[in-house]
Each structure stands twice: as structure tokens, then as C-alpha cells.
Amino acid sequence: MELAISEAKRAGDRGDYPIGAVITRVVGGREVVIASAGNRVKTSGSSIKHVELETLKYVSSGYGRYLPDFVLYSTHEPCAMCAGACVWSRIGAVVYGVSQEDIAAYGRKHGTEERKWRACLIPCRVVFEKGNHHIPVTGGFLRQECQKLFSYGSTYR
């Protein structure tokens, strides 16, 4: 998760929402980092360039359609779109920092026209449960550190 936080800060430095993700592969009882990236929604001009989706696409292109031996770490809970991609890729597990509720609460209080911090208030667990594929999920991992990303950089205050 610390690498995901670093990626989030790099995303914030380039003008994107400071959200980061890492995908690891469990090999012989250890986790090996396969991919890491920061959000590109703002700089790409595409509302679907979520970092979770982009890292899943990248890893799938090299490791195949299904990823049962992989773990997705994200500083923010995957939205319904990204959670759906987790189901379709059969990711092995998901770990995230702040929840969709945390994102929405921050957006209501501090959002601006430029940085809305909108949230899709469908928990990823619900998508996983309805997706007919069991995905273990851990939320709130390094939550306080991930909450600090909401106000990362002077352009987010």
C-alpha cells in the first residue's frame, strides 16, 4: 500500500486525483509487485481511466484473462466499474485504504468544481457478492495515510 500511496502522490503532482494502485502476484508464499500506477482521469480527459482499471488491463495483457494469484491494492475503494473489472478478471483479493463513503464525505465538505471527489456509493463488496466470484476484500488498510491524499498538494485545498 505504501507504493500505491507514492503512486497517488505522483498522480497528484501531475494534476490528477491522487489515487494509486498496485497489483502483486503471490508466488511461493511471497508477493511480487507486477504493476503500479497513479490515476489518469484528469490528464487523459477520460472519466474511465481509473487506476484500478488501467492496472488490471496492463496485468491481464501480460498474464492472461484471469488473475486468481494476484492482489489489487488501491488507496481508494474500487468503484462499481473497477469492482466489476475485478470480478471479470477473477482477481485473487482486493485491499483498499479509504471507502467510497469516505470519498463522498470529503467531496461534500471540500469538493470544488475542479475537484469534485464524487463517489459511487456501491461498496465493492456488493459488486463482488453479486458477481458470482468470491473475492476476499480488506478495507481501511492504512486508512489514515490514504485519507491524507484527499488534500495532497496545494491545488487540492
Side-chain angles (χ1 to χ4, degrees), residues 4 11 20-21 29 33 38 48-49 55 65 71 76 81 83 87 91 100 106 108 120 126-127 143 149 153:
V33 173
I48 61 170
K49 283 278 192 184
T55 52
R65 183 175 174 188
V71 178
H76 294 60
M81 174 181 67
V87 169
I91 194 83
Q100 288 291 318
Y106 184 84
R108 283 190 301 273
C120 181
V126 170
V127 176
R143 182 174 178 254
L149 294 169

Side-chain angles (χ1 to χ4, degrees), residues 27-40:
V27 179
R30 358 179 331 248
E31 285 185 88
V32 177
V33 173
I34 303 299
S36 64
N39 198 298
R40 295 196 180 275

Side-chain angles (χ1 to χ4, degrees), residues 1-92:
M1 185 64 83
E2 290 171 352
L3 178 55
I5 291 169
S6 294
E7 289 287 358
K9 290 177 179 178
R10 278 194 282 281
D13 289 343
R14 71 171 170 267
D16 268 294
Y17 284 100
I19 301 170
V22 172
I23 295 183
T24 63
R25 186 175 193 185
V26 180
V27 179
R30 358 179 331 248
E31 285 185 88
V32 177
V33 173
I34 303 299
S36 64
N39 198 298
R40 295 196 180 275
V41 168
K42 290 282 185 189
T43 55
S44 72
S46 172
S47 59
I48 61 170
K49 283 278 192 184
H50 291 198
V51 67
E52 300 91 346
L53 191 59
E54 293 299 303
T55 52
L56 283 167
K57 284 176 15 184
Y58 174 80
V59 173
S60 291
S61 71
Y63 291 90
R65 183 175 174 188
Y66 300 128
L67 307 170
D69 300 330
F70 294 78
V71 178
L72 169 67
Y73 291 86
S74 181
T75 57
H76 294 60
E77 178 180 8
C79 70
M81 174 181 67
C82 295
C86 290
V87 169
W88 292 119
S89 69
R90 297 185 185 173
I91 194 83

